Every structure is written in C-alpha cells, then in structure tokens.
Amino acid sequence: MVKTGAASNKSQGNKNEQKKLKTSDGSKRKKVVRRNSQGDKENLPECVQKTNGPKRKREPLEPTSNISDHYPKKKRAVSTKSELYSMSNRPLGYCLIVNNFNFEGTLQLRNRTGTDKDKDDLTRVFEKMAFKVEVRDDLQASDIQNVLKEFAERDHSQMDAFACCILSHGEKGSVLGIDGKPVPIRELTNLFANCHTLVNKPKLFFIQACQGNEAQQGVWMADGQENTTEERTFEEDSHTATSHSVPIEADFLIGIATVEYHKAFRHKTDGSIFIQELCNQLESGCPRKEDIHSILTKVNSIVSSKILQGHKQMPEVRYTLTKALVLPMK
C-alpha cells in the first residue's frame, strides 16, 4: 500500500508540474498579445508607429528615364582588330588596271580619249597605297576574262586585299572588250569569290563604264542650293543596254561610275569625272584614316553635284564588306 501511495503521489506531482508549465507559457503568450493589442509605441518599430499629424500627400511617380543611374556603367571594350580588315602586308595586294582605249574595230564605238589620264592617276594612287599595280591595255572580251582568271588563280596568301579597275565602254551589268563584246561584271567577280587565298579579304572593283544609254536628268533644288557646272567637253562610255545583273559575294566592293541604264562621262583630256574624283578622295581621305565607305560617299556627293553636258551622273557603290576598310597611304 505504501508503494502504491508513493506512485500515485509522484504521478500527481508530474501532472501539477505540467499544468504549471502550460499556465506559464500561456500567460506569457497572453501578455505578448496584450501588449501588441494595446499598441505600445515603445515596443513597435518606427516604420509602423502611428502619428496623429496630417497625412502626407503622395507625389506622382517619376519616370525611370529621368532617374539618374547611381551605378557607373561599364564601358564596352572595342577591339579594333576584329572590326577592321588587316592591312599590314607589303605589298598590300595586286591592283589590276584594264585600260581599253582603241575601239576602231567596232562600227558604233569611238576611241576612249582621256582614258590614259585615268590609268596614270590610278597607278600613282594605288602604288601609294602599297598595291602592286599591273596594267593591261586594249583587251578583247575574252582577254578580259582570261586576265582576271589569271589573277584569281594567283597566290594572295601573303597579301591583304585585291583591287581591279576597269576603264572601258559598257552596258547594263557589263563592260565591253575592244571588240565590242560584253563581259558580265558578275562573271568577273565570281572568279574571285572562289579564290581561297582571298577569303575574308576585301576585293575591290572600280568600273568606269556606262551602264546604259539614258542620260540622267537633273531635278529642281531649293533656293540657296547650287550645282557645280561643267562647260568642258565630255564623252559617253556607253553602249546598248542588256539584262545582266551585278550580284556579289562576301567581302566585295564594287564602285561603278553610274547607276544602271545611264551614261557615264569622260573628259577628252582630263579623264573621267568618276575616276578623277575617286583618286582625289583616296589621296585626301586615306592619310586621315577615313574608311572606304566615307570616301566613296564623298565621291558620290561631288560627282552627282556636277552638270555634264546638261545632264547628271550618279555613281553607285555596292558592297558586302564585313568589316571597316581603312586603306593605308604612303
């Protein structure tokens, strides 16, 4: 009986202790709840304390575009090497000049007087740009194809570019041999599109030839804008138009003296207006490290501003260059 009474007393004591613990925990929780319900300001954080003053008027949100950036922006590192064609090799590349003067074997085409001035100036300028210049005079249509094929098959691995200047009569999308037969410009450029040692290197073609028989008319301009007048004698590098086109592959630039269907003009002694202005702008722009696109834009602007025998001439540049091209100049 004694043992039983002791066990019962012990169990009763455990129950009382558990009840005390529950009571103490519950009282604490009640106190915490009571304090919060009373809104004791001393125990509340500042951000939730109530104020008896007037409510602050909410101002409209400011556009994010007007908010200054407190964090300095990182400048993007520009790698000029990846954005410019390499022009470090010497010689820089071959420059082929096809100079067709003598068209006496044809019935409707005259000799191209003044073309030797273009040839001499192109030779001087491209040699100053570190090109190795080679001139071919008075080529028939088949000869033009053969000589360009010869250059396309050469090893250009130790060079950075190729240039070709063709001075002749022409028609839409083609140049003419001295036999009067057309050579599509597309066929000539395709030869170099397949040249493995010129892959990813600029291939430049400058063509002085008409692209049709139409004379380009001027348009009225606003007061204060004037055209440069040309009263000297010019001839046309023209022929009948056909349906050839001039598509090009990657890393090509083709500068043509005039847009399709129209005539290009050449002075009898001073050379063609397009080639002469091209030489002028290369000599002035290359030493200032201007890229070829900027230079040819100036050529377009100056040539198109002139009046030639009462007509206009608008050069055209087509290119698929994938980098900026800055040609060197000695």
Side-chain angles (χ1 to χ4, degrees):
M1 292 295 294
V2 174
K3 290 182 179 179
T4 303
S8 62
N9 291 336
K10 188 175 182 180
S11 62
Q12 187 68 27
N14 291 337
K15 288 181 181 180
N16 292 335
E17 288 179 2
Q18 289 177 3
K19 189 179 290 186
K20 286 181 181 180
L21 288 171
K22 287 181 180 179
T23 304
S24 62
D25 291 340
S27 63
K28 285 182 180 179
R29 280 196 294 271
K30 285 181 181 180
K31 286 182 181 179
V32 171
V33 173
R34 193 180 302 115
R35 285 178 184 174
N36 289 342
S37 63
Q38 290 176 355
D40 190 351
K41 293 182 181 180
E42 293 180 356
N43 295 324
L44 290 174
E46 293 182 1
C47 60
V48 296
Q49 286 186 12
K50 294 183 179 180
T51 57
N52 296 326
K55 293 184 179 180
R56 187 178 65 178
K57 186 178 180 182
R58 179 174 294 180
E59 296 180 357
L61 296 175
E62 184 179 355
T64 57
S65 59
N66 297 331
I67 300 175
S68 61
D69 191 354
H70 297 288
Y71 299 96
K73 297 180 179 179
K74 294 182 179 180
K75 294 184 178 180
R76 184 175 68 89
V78 177
S79 175
T80 56
K81 289 184 179 180
S82 63
E83 296 178 356
L84 289 172
Y85 284 107
S86 173
M87 296 282 115
S88 58
N89 281 320
R90 296 297 180 269
L92 183 63
Y94 291 111
C95 173
L96 170 64
I97 300 176
V98 175
N99 180 42
N100 282 351
F101 164 78
N102 187 0
F103 284 82
E104 291 179 356
T106 63
L107 296 177
Q108 50 187 321
L109 297 172
R110 293 180 293 180
N111 290 343
R112 299 184 61 256
T113 54
T115 189
D116 287 341
K117 179 70 163 56
D118 288 342
K119 176 192 68 174
D120 294 340
D121 289 342
L122 285 170
T123 300
R124 185 190 76 255
V125 171
F126 276 85
E127 285 181 347
K128 289 175 67 175
M129 292 189 295
F131 281 89
K132 185 177 180 180
V133 179
E134 297 186 27
V135 179
R136 301 289 190 272
D137 291 309
D138 295 334
L139 300 182
Q140 294 183 356
S142 60
D143 296 329
I144 294 175
Q145 291 174 313
N146 290 336
V147 73
L148 267 81
K149 183 179 180 182
E150 173 202 333
F151 273 80
E153 292 175 349
R154 291 188 181 184
D155 183 9
H156 304 265
S157 58
Q158 301 303 313
M159 297 180 177
D160 290 322
F162 171 77
C164 177
C165 305
I166 301 178
L167 315 173
S168 188
H169 289 300
E171 60 189 27
K172 182 176 178 283
S174 296
V175 294
L176 302 182
I178 60 171
D179 53 0
K181 296 180 180 180
V183 182
I185 299 171
R186 175 181 184 176
E187 291 184 7
L188 302 179
T189 59
N190 279 347
L191 293 171
F192 293 87
N194 298 319
C195 178
H196 298 296
T197 56
L198 282 173
V199 172
N200 297 325
K201 299 177 183 180
K203 295 161 277 285
L204 315 177
F205 287 78
F206 298 104
I207 298 171
Q208 169 58 38
C210 281
Q211 294 294 287
N213 279 332
E214 296 180 18
Q216 194 168 18
Q217 303 298 324
V219 294
W220 292 102
M221 302 180 71
D223 289 340
Q225 294 180 328
E226 298 180 356
N227 283 343
T228 304
T229 58
E230 288 286 347
E231 302 296 338
R232 298 174 294 169
T233 303
F234 284 84
E235 294 181 341
E236 306 157 3
D237 281 328
S238 65
H239 190 53
T240 56
T242 59
S243 59
H244 297 297
S245 59
V246 192
I248 53 178
E249 307 296 332
D251 302 301
F252 275 84
L253 182 146
I254 301 179
I256 306 178
T258 183
V259 293
E260 291 182 345
Y261 301 108
H262 291 93
K263 298 176 179 179
F265 292 91
R266 166 181 36 81
H267 193 267
K268 288 183 176 180
T269 57
D270 295 340
S272 64
I273 188 68
F274 171 67
I275 293 297
Q276 290 301 310
E277 196 56 46
L278 172 65
C279 292
N280 291 339
Q281 293 302 323
L282 286 171
E283 284 191 295
S284 62
C286 289
R288 295 198 296 264
K289 306 300 181 183
E290 293 183 14
D291 66 277
I292 192 67
H293 179 72
S294 300
I295 289 173
L296 292 177
T297 300
K298 292 179 181 179
V299 173
N300 285 359
S301 176
I302 294 173
V303 173
S304 64
S305 71
K306 298 181 181 295
I307 299 176
L308 309 165
Q309 292 185 337
H311 301 295
K312 305 287 286 182
Q313 179 177 326
M314 182 69 243
E316 181 179 5
V317 181
R318 306 176 186 183
Y319 69 94
T320 56
L321 298 180
T322 56
K323 299 179 183 180
L325 174 58
V326 179
L327 294 165
M329 181 71 75
K330 294 179 182 178

